[in-house]
Amino acid sequence: MKKLELNEGWVLHRLKGEKDIPAVVPGSVYTDLLREGEMEDPFFKDNEDRALKLMDEDYEYVCNFECDESIRNEDVVLLRCEGLDTLAGLTLNGKMIGEADNMHRTWEYHIKDELKDKNELRILFHSPTKFIEEAYKKAPTRGSEDAMPGFVHIRKAHCMFGWDWGAHLPDAGIFRPVSINAYSKLKLETVEILQEHKDGKVTLSIDPKIVLKDGDNDTESLMMETLITAPNGEGSNYVNNLNEAPLEIEIDDPELWWPNGYGKQPLYEIKVVIKDASDGEVFDEWNARIGLRTVTVSTNKDEWGNEFAFTVNGVKIFSMGADYIPEDHLLGRVNCKTTEKLLKKAVFANFNTIRVWGGGYYPDDWFFDLCDELGLLVWQDFMFACAMYDLTPEFEENIKAEFYDNIIRLRHHASLALMCGNNEMEMFTKYRTWITKESEVKDYLVMYEYIIPKLMKELAPQVYYWPASPSSGGSFDDPNGENRGDVHYWDVWHGDKPFTEYRKFFFRFVSEFGFQSFPSEKTVETFTDDEADKNIFSYIMEKHQRNGAANGKIINYMQQTYLYPQGFSNVIYASQLLQADAIKYGVEHFRRNRGRCMGTVIWQLNDCWPVASWSSVDYTGRLKALHYYARRFFAPVMVSCEEEGELSVEKPLNWLPRPVPTSVKFNVANESMNDEDVTLFWEVRDAKGKVLRREKEDIHSPALSSTWTEKYELKDLDRFSQYVSFRIEKDGEELSSGTVIFTRPKYFKFEKPVLSCRVEGNKLIISSDVYAKNVEILNENEDIVLSDNYFDLNAEEKTVEILEGKAEGIRLRSVYDIR
């Protein structure tokens, strides 16, 4: 196979004859226009509205390139486009060579007859907004009202047309590589690798799929050479006739791949080369890295229903992670480095799982390479979300090609744990939420319970398929039920329920639950330009809030929890604490019930523009309080406290009788592969941090378990001025800690803390003279990353490490300052 990359010499212009501007490929229309000063920053203030109008136009990319005879003389010459977004017509040297209408596919066009020494390639992208407008008039198929009407009619990331966290910015362009590929004998299209784990050995079945040029059926003369390089660099070479494929290779003493927190992530390099058996001429090769592991999902029956647990190498994993959405509305800004930074933040927070949500696009290869390296199990949705689809013959042919491209591209990755048919459509179809005709119900079943599982069985038999999220297994059978399958739980937030509501449920696997907050003030300043904008009910702040009345919802929860916050900065701080505490309530409860619940995937990890949302990492990469909380509540060995107090009482404040019980019950959740013998220390303290009662208990915590203490009644505790601190230690080292109060923070009689910070090299020593809750450490640019933040101090000092950023202009505050 000979290859010519077309990644230079591109220009872009509007079809209306305007000037050419330099274009970067891979990239996008918006990124090129912005870089060349042809549009304003679409994220600033309300520039989004003007940026959206730009997509009413058609745009054309042009590349002039030379191609030498060595490529032109091959029998088969293909133009390969790995990502065209979305409605495109392609011409080479003035002749139409093909069209594209699906950003999720790889497109190939035969160009041998059109290719010359000097060439001009034109790719014309038609307006996506005009297309969906006209398509919706013809067929008003419906979906989420947060997106523009008609978005279901185009195989393009749905969230580009708006979502309840996303802007209306349907970018376009060549967002993945373009190349010319040529051959005279064959191309090696893909290689299927299956694994059998038995008796401490792994047998690999390696099966190449080749495409011979038309009229050539000779495979007898072909040889397959396979090189396997172990993690230690040692290589093994295997040669056989292609007709003997699949090749089976036995690996003794295999190094197994594990998710983050359960072991290491050794990767084996696989290189498959197809050669001429007589003279050794190389025709094509395929390279990949794999991890030796088994991954499936256990749905075995148990006393509560059916479990739902990722099972890796026979070990049932408690999934801890978040939902991943596209990283940027401007696709040209996303690259391996941006993704690496984000996924390393996930590992920082002790994630072992990432769910790729179905309203975006299938991530690039580098995303999965990084997940392989970092030990992040990937739940991969197919790209359907919150919408109905009309399964015409043309649409079926289009999506089948999309499925094929992505299944064979992703199936070998160690990190790929599950592929899921869609986001929320089984549930919404059952509820008839967006149904316009009954055939859409039939089409749902055909797509997700026939077409995709059939392809999965054929192309990726060792990758687990799940029909929808949430689902109990399909066929509209209680798709969001508590006792089977996975759940999206939104009564806390959308349903305005209190945080304690989580403790009423024992879901088997929670694949979505979340709570909103505002991004960092410095992030807000990237889209505002005056103090008037810095009000959560201002026009600009509400333009950067896509969940309807969500700002009012945040204030409603804030009113229940804190004193009235003065100043914009305090509102942001309080909102982030609300978000962090809400999710903490849920995660700790679910981890305490390991075995019944086997996964908590938070909505959501990241943002695609600066916005108020459910993310734990805002668009600029700044960490919200939730992300630091996640580092603690996803710790491999974690102690938590199930307290009774004010929040346990469901009666309003002034209804009588209204007894308020006060008690504590501790739990050690051990998600490591080792038994742990730890010591629990807990104290009753007053608001100054003075110890009033001290207790100690040795706890044996088996691997992969949840261990409870007895319940301790605290009948004499004054809930307004006393609290409980707790921690677990092993060999004198603190593993996990926390505090609980027994009333709402707004009622607790916090002493005014004297907070101080001193810098010693790459460490900060933070101290308080009294009990200080949720101590926040910010630097001048609010971009410092620390080993811990938003923690409690019991009239003590704590040392944290600076991981990123500079210790300049350090400022501190605690819950006491929310007033």
Side-chain angles (χ1 to χ4, degrees), residues 402-438:
E402 169 189 325
F403 302 154
Y404 178 85
D405 287 348
N406 288 286
I407 292 170
I408 66 168
R409 178 170 70 91
L410 304 179
R411 64 187 176 183
H412 69 275
H413 281 281
S415 56
L416 183 63
L418 175 152
M419 297 191 80
C420 175
N422 66 80
N423 176 76
E424 297 189 336
M425 283 318 303
E426 183 183 356
M427 177 175 67
F428 285 129
T429 302
K430 179 174 182 174
Y431 298 159
R432 298 299 196 266
T433 304
W434 293 301
I435 298 294
T436 58
K437 52 187 178 181
E438 287 303 309

Short mmCIF file of all heavy atoms in Angstrom, two decimals, residues 402-438:
data_model
loop_
_atom_site.label_atom_id
_atom_site.label_comp_id
_atom_site.label_asym_id
_atom_site.label_seq_id
_atom_site.Cartn_x
_atom_site.Cartn_y
_atom_site.Cartn_z
N GLU A 402 -21.74 3.08 8.86
CA GLU A 402 -21.21 3.76 10.05
C GLU A 402 -20.86 2.76 11.14
O GLU A 402 -19.78 2.83 11.75
CB GLU A 402 -22.26 4.75 10.56
CG GLU A 402 -22.00 5.36 11.91
CD GLU A 402 -23.19 6.15 12.43
OE1 GLU A 402 -23.90 6.78 11.62
OE2 GLU A 402 -23.42 6.14 13.66
N PHE A 403 -21.74 1.82 11.38
CA PHE A 403 -21.49 0.81 12.42
C PHE A 403 -20.26 -0.01 12.06
O PHE A 403 -19.40 -0.26 12.91
CB PHE A 403 -22.70 -0.11 12.59
CG PHE A 403 -23.97 0.58 12.96
CD1 PHE A 403 -25.21 0.02 12.65
CD2 PHE A 403 -23.96 1.81 13.61
CE1 PHE A 403 -26.39 0.64 12.98
CE2 PHE A 403 -25.15 2.44 13.95
CZ PHE A 403 -26.36 1.87 13.63
N TYR A 404 -20.18 -0.46 10.81
CA TYR A 404 -19.05 -1.27 10.38
C TYR A 404 -17.74 -0.52 10.59
O TYR A 404 -16.79 -1.06 11.19
CB TYR A 404 -19.21 -1.66 8.91
CG TYR A 404 -18.04 -2.46 8.37
CD1 TYR A 404 -18.01 -3.84 8.53
CD2 TYR A 404 -16.98 -1.83 7.73
CE1 TYR A 404 -16.93 -4.59 8.06
CE2 TYR A 404 -15.90 -2.56 7.26
CZ TYR A 404 -15.88 -3.94 7.42
OH TYR A 404 -14.81 -4.65 6.96
N ASP A 405 -17.67 0.71 10.13
CA ASP A 405 -16.44 1.50 10.24
C ASP A 405 -15.97 1.60 11.68
O ASP A 405 -14.78 1.45 11.97
CB ASP A 405 -16.65 2.90 9.67
CG ASP A 405 -16.74 2.93 8.16
OD1 ASP A 405 -16.43 1.90 7.54
OD2 ASP A 405 -17.13 3.98 7.61
N ASN A 406 -16.89 1.88 12.57
CA ASN A 406 -16.49 2.15 13.96
C ASN A 406 -16.28 0.88 14.77
O ASN A 406 -15.40 0.85 15.64
CB ASN A 406 -17.51 3.09 14.61
CG ASN A 406 -17.40 4.49 14.07
OD1 ASN A 406 -16.47 5.22 14.39
ND2 ASN A 406 -18.32 4.87 13.20
N ILE A 407 -17.04 -0.15 14.50
CA ILE A 407 -16.82 -1.41 15.22
C ILE A 407 -15.44 -1.97 14.91
O ILE A 407 -14.68 -2.34 15.80
CB ILE A 407 -17.92 -2.43 14.91
CG1 ILE A 407 -19.28 -1.97 15.47
CG2 ILE A 407 -17.56 -3.80 15.48
CD1 ILE A 407 -20.46 -2.81 15.01
N ILE A 408 -15.08 -2.02 13.62
CA ILE A 408 -13.78 -2.60 13.28
C ILE A 408 -12.64 -1.69 13.69
O ILE A 408 -11.52 -2.15 13.96
CB ILE A 408 -13.67 -2.98 11.79
CG1 ILE A 408 -13.70 -1.75 10.89
CG2 ILE A 408 -14.76 -3.98 11.41
CD1 ILE A 408 -13.31 -2.04 9.46
N ARG A 409 -12.90 -0.38 13.80
CA ARG A 409 -11.85 0.55 14.23
C ARG A 409 -11.56 0.42 15.71
O ARG A 409 -10.41 0.56 16.15
CB ARG A 409 -12.27 1.98 13.89
CG ARG A 409 -11.28 3.05 14.32
CD ARG A 409 -11.64 4.41 13.75
NE ARG A 409 -12.84 4.98 14.33
CZ ARG A 409 -12.87 5.78 15.39
NH1 ARG A 409 -11.74 6.11 16.01
NH2 ARG A 409 -14.01 6.28 15.83
N LEU A 410 -12.57 0.13 16.50
CA LEU A 410 -12.43 0.20 17.96
C LEU A 410 -12.31 -1.15 18.65
O LEU A 410 -11.86 -1.23 19.79
CB LEU A 410 -13.64 0.95 18.55
CG LEU A 410 -13.91 2.35 18.01
CD1 LEU A 410 -15.14 2.93 18.68
CD2 LEU A 410 -12.71 3.26 18.18
N ARG A 411 -12.68 -2.22 18.00
CA ARG A 411 -12.90 -3.49 18.69
C ARG A 411 -11.66 -4.08 19.35
O ARG A 411 -11.78 -4.87 20.30
CB ARG A 411 -13.49 -4.51 17.71
CG ARG A 411 -12.54 -4.87 16.56
CD ARG A 411 -13.22 -5.74 15.53
NE ARG A 411 -12.34 -6.01 14.39
CZ ARG A 411 -12.70 -6.69 13.32
NH1 ARG A 411 -13.92 -7.20 13.24
NH2 ARG A 411 -11.84 -6.88 12.32
N HIS A 412 -10.47 -3.74 18.90
CA HIS A 412 -9.26 -4.37 19.45
C HIS A 412 -8.78 -3.70 20.73
O HIS A 412 -7.87 -4.21 21.38
CB HIS A 412 -8.13 -4.33 18.42
CG HIS A 412 -7.59 -2.96 18.15
ND1 HIS A 412 -8.19 -2.11 17.24
CD2 HIS A 412 -6.56 -2.27 18.69
CE1 HIS A 412 -7.52 -0.98 17.21
NE2 HIS A 412 -6.53 -1.04 18.08
N HIS A 413 -9.35 -2.56 21.09
CA HIS A 413 -8.82 -1.79 22.22
C HIS A 413 -9.09 -2.47 23.55
O HIS A 413 -10.22 -2.91 23.84
CB HIS A 413 -9.40 -0.38 22.22
CG HIS A 413 -8.75 0.53 21.24
ND1 HIS A 413 -7.54 1.12 21.46
CD2 HIS A 413 -9.15 0.92 20.00
CE1 HIS A 413 -7.20 1.86 20.41
NE2 HIS A 413 -8.16 1.76 19.51
N ALA A 414 -8.06 -2.50 24.39
CA ALA A 414 -8.20 -3.09 25.72
C ALA A 414 -9.25 -2.37 26.54
O ALA A 414 -9.93 -2.97 27.37
CB ALA A 414 -6.85 -3.05 26.43
N SER A 415 -9.37 -1.08 26.33
CA SER A 415 -10.27 -0.25 27.14
C SER A 415 -11.74 -0.40 26.77
O SER A 415 -12.61 -0.06 27.57
CB SER A 415 -9.87 1.21 27.04
OG SER A 415 -9.86 1.63 25.67
N LEU A 416 -12.02 -0.90 25.57
CA LEU A 416 -13.42 -0.96 25.11
C LEU A 416 -14.15 -2.06 25.87
O LEU A 416 -13.92 -3.25 25.66
CB LEU A 416 -13.48 -1.22 23.60
CG LEU A 416 -14.89 -1.23 23.01
CD1 LEU A 416 -15.57 0.14 23.17
CD2 LEU A 416 -14.85 -1.63 21.53
N ALA A 417 -15.05 -1.65 26.76
CA ALA A 417 -15.73 -2.60 27.64
C ALA A 417 -17.14 -2.92 27.17
O ALA A 417 -17.65 -4.02 27.43
CB ALA A 417 -15.78 -2.05 29.06
N LEU A 418 -17.78 -1.97 26.49
CA LEU A 418 -19.19 -2.15 26.15
C LEU A 418 -19.54 -1.19 25.03
O LEU A 418 -19.04 -0.06 25.00
CB LEU A 418 -20.06 -1.88 27.38
CG LEU A 418 -21.59 -1.88 27.27
CD1 LEU A 418 -22.20 -2.28 28.62
CD2 LEU A 418 -22.15 -0.51 26.89
N MET A 419 -20.39 -1.63 24.11
CA MET A 419 -20.97 -0.73 23.12
C MET A 419 -22.48 -0.75 23.32
O MET A 419 -23.08 -1.82 23.50
CB MET A 419 -20.58 -1.11 21.70
CG MET A 419 -19.08 -0.99 21.46
SD MET A 419 -18.56 -1.13 19.72
CE MET A 419 -18.92 0.53 19.11
N CYS A 420 -23.06 0.44 23.31
CA CYS A 420 -24.47 0.62 23.69
C CYS A 420 -25.24 1.26 22.54
O CYS A 420 -24.75 2.21 21.92
CB CYS A 420 -24.54 1.48 24.95
SG CYS A 420 -26.20 1.93 25.47
N GLY A 421 -26.45 0.78 22.31
CA GLY A 421 -27.21 1.21 21.14
C GLY A 421 -27.53 2.67 21.08
O GLY A 421 -27.47 3.30 20.01
N ASN A 422 -27.87 3.30 22.21
CA ASN A 422 -28.32 4.69 22.15
C ASN A 422 -28.40 5.27 23.55
O ASN A 422 -28.31 4.54 24.54
CB ASN A 422 -29.69 4.79 21.47
CG ASN A 422 -30.79 4.12 22.29
OD1 ASN A 422 -31.31 4.68 23.25
ND2 ASN A 422 -31.13 2.88 21.93
N ASN A 423 -28.60 6.56 23.62
CA ASN A 423 -28.83 7.27 24.88
C ASN A 423 -30.31 7.59 25.05
O ASN A 423 -30.87 8.37 24.27
CB ASN A 423 -28.02 8.56 24.92
CG ASN A 423 -28.30 9.38 26.17
OD1 ASN A 423 -27.84 9.05 27.25
ND2 ASN A 423 -29.11 10.43 26.02
N GLU A 424 -30.95 6.94 26.01
CA GLU A 424 -32.28 7.26 26.55
C GLU A 424 -33.45 7.00 25.61
O GLU A 424 -34.58 7.35 25.93
CB GLU A 424 -32.33 8.72 27.04
CG GLU A 424 -31.38 8.99 28.19
CD GLU A 424 -31.55 10.35 28.84
OE1 GLU A 424 -32.06 11.26 28.17
OE2 GLU A 424 -31.15 10.47 30.02
N MET A 425 -33.20 6.33 24.46
CA MET A 425 -34.30 6.20 23.52
C MET A 425 -35.25 5.05 23.82
O MET A 425 -36.43 5.10 23.43
CB MET A 425 -33.76 6.08 22.09
CG MET A 425 -33.29 7.42 21.54
SD MET A 425 -34.44 8.76 21.96
CE MET A 425 -35.97 8.16 21.26
N GLU A 426 -34.80 4.00 24.50
CA GLU A 426 -35.75 2.95 24.89
C GLU A 426 -36.77 3.53 25.86
O GLU A 426 -37.98 3.30 25.71
CB GLU A 426 -35.01 1.77 25.52
CG GLU A 426 -35.96 0.63 25.89
CD GLU A 426 -35.26 -0.52 26.58
OE1 GLU A 426 -34.03 -0.49 26.73
OE2 GLU A 426 -35.97 -1.46 27.00
N MET A 427 -36.28 4.30 26.81
CA MET A 427 -37.15 4.91 27.80
C MET A 427 -38.13 5.89 27.14
O MET A 427 -39.34 5.84 27.37
CB MET A 427 -36.29 5.63 28.84
CG MET A 427 -37.03 6.38 29.91
SD MET A 427 -35.89 7.07 31.15
CE MET A 427 -35.00 8.29 30.18
N PHE A 428 -37.60 6.80 26.30
CA PHE A 428 -38.48 7.81 25.70
C PHE A 428 -39.42 7.21 24.65
O PHE A 428 -40.52 7.72 24.45
CB PHE A 428 -37.64 8.93 25.10
CG PHE A 428 -37.06 9.87 26.14
CD1 PHE A 428 -35.71 10.18 26.14
CD2 PHE A 428 -37.86 10.43 27.11
CE1 PHE A 428 -35.17 11.03 27.10
CE2 PHE A 428 -37.35 11.28 28.07
CZ PHE A 428 -35.99 11.58 28.07
N THR A 429 -38.99 6.15 23.99
CA THR A 429 -39.90 5.49 23.05
C THR A 429 -41.05 4.82 23.80
O THR A 429 -42.20 4.90 23.39
CB THR A 429 -39.14 4.45 22.20
OG1 THR A 429 -38.08 5.10 21.50
CG2 THR A 429 -40.07 3.81 21.19
N LYS A 430 -40.72 4.20 24.93
CA LYS A 430 -41.79 3.58 25.73
C LYS A 430 -42.79 4.64 26.21
O LYS A 430 -44.00 4.40 26.21
CB LYS A 430 -41.19 2.85 26.93
CG LYS A 430 -42.24 2.22 27.83
CD LYS A 430 -41.65 1.37 28.93
CE LYS A 430 -42.77 0.72 29.74
NZ LYS A 430 -42.27 -0.24 30.75
N TYR A 431 -42.27 5.82 26.60
CA TYR A 431 -43.14 6.89 27.07
C TYR A 431 -43.83 7.64 25.93
O TYR A 431 -44.63 8.54 26.18
CB TYR A 431 -42.33 7.90 27.89
CG TYR A 431 -41.70 7.34 29.14
CD1 TYR A 431 -40.61 7.98 29.74
CD2 TYR A 431 -42.14 6.16 29.74
CE1 TYR A 431 -40.01 7.48 30.88
CE2 TYR A 431 -41.55 5.65 30.88
CZ TYR A 431 -40.48 6.31 31.46
OH TYR A 431 -39.88 5.81 32.58
N ARG A 432 -43.48 7.29 24.68
CA ARG A 432 -44.03 7.96 23.48
C ARG A 432 -43.71 9.46 23.48
O ARG A 432 -44.50 10.28 23.02
CB ARG A 432 -45.55 7.75 23.39
CG ARG A 432 -46.00 6.30 23.24
CD ARG A 432 -45.43 5.68 21.97
NE ARG A 432 -46.09 4.45 21.57
CZ ARG A 432 -45.68 3.23 21.91
NH1 ARG A 432 -44.63 3.09 22.70
NH2 ARG A 432 -46.30 2.16 21.47
N THR A 433 -42.52 9.79 23.96
CA THR A 433 -42.19 11.20 24.16
C THR A 433 -42.13 11.98 22.85
O THR A 433 -42.66 13.08 22.76
CB THR A 433 -40.83 11.31 24.89
OG1 THR A 433 -40.92 10.59 26.12
CG2 THR A 433 -40.48 12.77 25.18
N TRP A 434 -41.47 11.43 21.83
CA TRP A 434 -41.32 12.17 20.56
C TRP A 434 -41.90 11.40 19.38
O TRP A 434 -41.54 11.66 18.23
CB TRP A 434 -39.84 12.47 20.31
CG TRP A 434 -39.25 13.43 21.31
CD1 TRP A 434 -39.65 14.71 21.56
CD2 TRP A 434 -38.15 13.19 22.20
NE1 TRP A 434 -38.89 15.28 22.55
CE2 TRP A 434 -37.94 14.38 22.96
CE3 TRP A 434 -37.31 12.11 22.44
CZ2 TRP A 434 -36.94 14.49 23.93
CZ3 TRP A 434 -36.31 12.22 23.40
CH2 TRP A 434 -36.14 13.39 24.13
N ILE A 435 -42.80 10.50 19.66
CA ILE A 435 -43.36 9.66 18.58
C ILE A 435 -44.29 10.50 17.71
O ILE A 435 -45.20 11.17 18.20
CB ILE A 435 -44.14 8.47 19.17
CG1 ILE A 435 -43.21 7.58 20.00
CG2 ILE A 435 -44.82 7.67 18.06
CD1 ILE A 435 -42.16 6.87 19.21
N THR A 436 -44.06 10.45 16.39
CA THR A 436 -44.98 11.11 15.45
C THR A 436 -45.75 10.08 14.62
O THR A 436 -46.76 10.40 14.01
CB THR A 436 -44.22 12.04 14.50
OG1 THR A 436 -43.23 11.29 13.77
CG2 THR A 436 -43.55 13.17 15.26
N LYS A 437 -45.24 8.84 14.59
CA LYS A 437 -45.95 7.76 13.89
C LYS A 437 -45.50 6.44 14.49
O LYS A 437 -44.37 6.29 14.95
CB LYS A 437 -45.70 7.80 12.38
CG LYS A 437 -44.23 7.83 12.00
CD LYS A 437 -44.06 8.03 10.50
CE LYS A 437 -42.58 8.12 10.11
NZ LYS A 437 -42.41 8.33 8.67
N GLU A 438 -46.41 5.47 14.51
CA GLU A 438 -46.13 4.21 15.21
C GLU A 438 -45.00 3.43 14.58
O GLU A 438 -44.36 2.61 15.25
CB GLU A 438 -47.41 3.36 15.26
CG GLU A 438 -48.45 3.89 16.22
CD GLU A 438 -47.91 4.04 17.64
OE1 GLU A 438 -47.34 3.06 18.17
OE2 GLU A 438 -48.06 5.12 18.22
#
